[in-house]
């Protein structure tokens, strides 16, 4: 069979393949949507709230703090018993990245409304660390985050706790948040879950001047000097080298 015949046969076969919606399995509509994972779903789900983690339509039957699809909800960290179960390997990996708090910090799950009442980012916040001087008073994470987002948020907040306990003082927001996003990104890099790649991309492509630009500045500085030398510079100067 020559190339022209092969191409014609391929096109005939491709024309029989029906593109179906990843959510309902029905034939795809002429207009469709693409989630953060690259999966597509049809216009029949246009009015449904997206899953906070993967971007697919959330399951309205789930009673949770955040909108989630059934797949992401399966790994949601819902109570302190779940925190106790999933936190040790997260903490171990963070320590392996050379970030160690001087005293243990308890991770406390809270309702999203409680976090909103404390955090300047309001509805977009997933975690918060409250400190006074070098004392960490509270480390809060929103209840019901899927495991990948929970681990990423814990890593981010642990970096806030580390900066407080190590006496870095009050840093400019892009510096503080950039360092925290850098640790979250490093933790995500070692996770086999495909959603970890989605979270890494979200961090790396964030267009914001605080979290996004801060992360990119932190990553560039760590690549030039190494993490330890970069942190030493930030401690002395309050800025990235």
């Amino acid at each position: 069979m020559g190339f022209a015949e092969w191409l014609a046969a391929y096109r005939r076969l491709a024309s029989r393949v029906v593109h179906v919606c990843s959510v309902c399995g029905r034939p795809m509509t002429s207009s469709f949507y693409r989630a953060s994972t690259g999966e597509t779903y049809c216009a029949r789900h246009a009015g449904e709230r997206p899953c906070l983690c993967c971007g697919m339509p959330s399951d309205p039957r789930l009673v949770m703090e955040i909108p989630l699809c059934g797949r992401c909800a399966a790994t949601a960290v819902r109570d302190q018993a779940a925190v106790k179960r999933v936190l040790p390997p997260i903490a171990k990996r963070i320590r392996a990245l050379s970030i160690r708090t001087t005293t243990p910090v308890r991770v406390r799950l809270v309702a999203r409304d409680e976090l909103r009442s404390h955090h300047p980012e309001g509805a977009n916040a997933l975690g918060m660390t409250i400190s006074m001087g070098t004392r960490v008073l509270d480390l809060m994470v929103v209840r019901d985050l899927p495991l990948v987002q929970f681990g990423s948020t814990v890593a981010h907040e642990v970096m806030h706790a580390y900066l407080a306990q190590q006496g870095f003082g009050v840093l400019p927001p892009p510096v503080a948040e950039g360092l925290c996003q850098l640790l979250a990104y490093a933790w995500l890099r070692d996770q086999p879950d495909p959603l970890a790649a989605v979270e890494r991309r979200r961090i790396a492509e964030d267009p914001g001047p605080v979290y996004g630009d801060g992360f990119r500045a932190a990553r560039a500085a760590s690549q030039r000097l190494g993490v330890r030398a970069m942190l030493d510079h930030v401690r002395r100067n309050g800025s990235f080298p």
Side-chain angles (χ1 to χ4, degrees):
M1 179 186 292
F3 177 75
E5 292 82 4
W6 175 88
L7 183 60
Y10 174 81
R11 285 173 172 167
R12 286 195 299 271
L13 178 62
S15 68
R16 298 173 194 163
V17 177
V18 179
H19 187 196
V20 299
C21 172
S22 297
V23 178
C24 62
R26 297 161 70 184
M28 188 62 72
T29 50
S30 57
S31 62
F32 57 90
Y33 302 88
R34 190 176 301 277
S36 304
T37 56
E39 297 167 287
T40 54
Y41 59 94
C42 67
R44 302 178 188 93
H45 307 284
E48 299 174 18
R49 297 177 70 191
C51 171
L52 185 70
C53 188
C54 71
M56 292 290 282
S58 61
D59 187 339
R61 298 168 297 180
L62 297 173
V63 181
M64 308 187 95
E65 290 289 335
I66 54 177
L68 292 175
C69 67
R71 178 179 59 193
C72 291
T75 67
V77 180
R78 307 213 62 187
D79 52 35
Q80 291 299 141
V83 172
K84 187 176 182 180
R85 184 178 67 255
V86 304
L87 191 58
I90 296 172
K92 181 179 180 181
R93 182 56 195 151
I94 291 172
R95 289 193 299 270
L97 293 167
S98 300
I99 301 300
R100 297 169 178 262
T101 54
T102 55
T103 57
V105 178
R106 179 176 181 263
V107 175
R108 183 169 70 93
L109 295 184
V110 297
R112 206 172 189 187
D113 285 344
E114 180 179 348
L115 195 67
R116 284 172 177 165
S117 68
H118 293 287
H119 203 290
E121 293 292 321
N124 296 323
L126 299 179
M128 184 175 185
T129 300
I130 299 175
S131 60
M132 181 180 295
T134 59
R135 291 178 56 221
V136 176
L137 306 178
D138 203 1
L139 192 160
M140 298 175 281
V141 175
V142 169
R143 185 183 300 116
D144 293 338
L145 290 181
L147 183 57
V148 164
Q149 274 194 323
F150 174 81
S152 174
T153 303
V154 167
H156 179 105
E157 298 305 327
V158 164
M159 191 64 182
H160 276 301
Y162 173 87
L163 295 173
Q165 290 183 348
Q166 294 293 325
F168 276 69
V170 179
L171 297 172
V175 176
E177 300 301 343
L179 290 171
C180 294
Q181 289 293 74
L182 183 65
L183 183 60
Y185 187 92
W187 180 83
L188 287 164
R189 196 169 48 206
D190 296 323
Q191 305 310 305
D193 192 319
L195 290 174
V198 173
E199 287 299 307
R200 289 200 310 273
R201 189 166 63 249
R202 186 174 293 158
I203 290 173
E205 298 176 357
D206 184 344
V210 174
Y211 291 82
D213 289 351
F215 163 74
R216 287 182 285 275
R219 181 170 61 173
S222 68
Q223 289 172 341
R224 287 197 312 271
L225 303 177
V227 172
R228 185 54 51 196
M230 175 192 64
L231 288 174
D232 289 342
H233 184 281
V234 171
R235 189 201 302 269
R236 293 191 307 269
N237 301 283
S239 63
F240 291 123

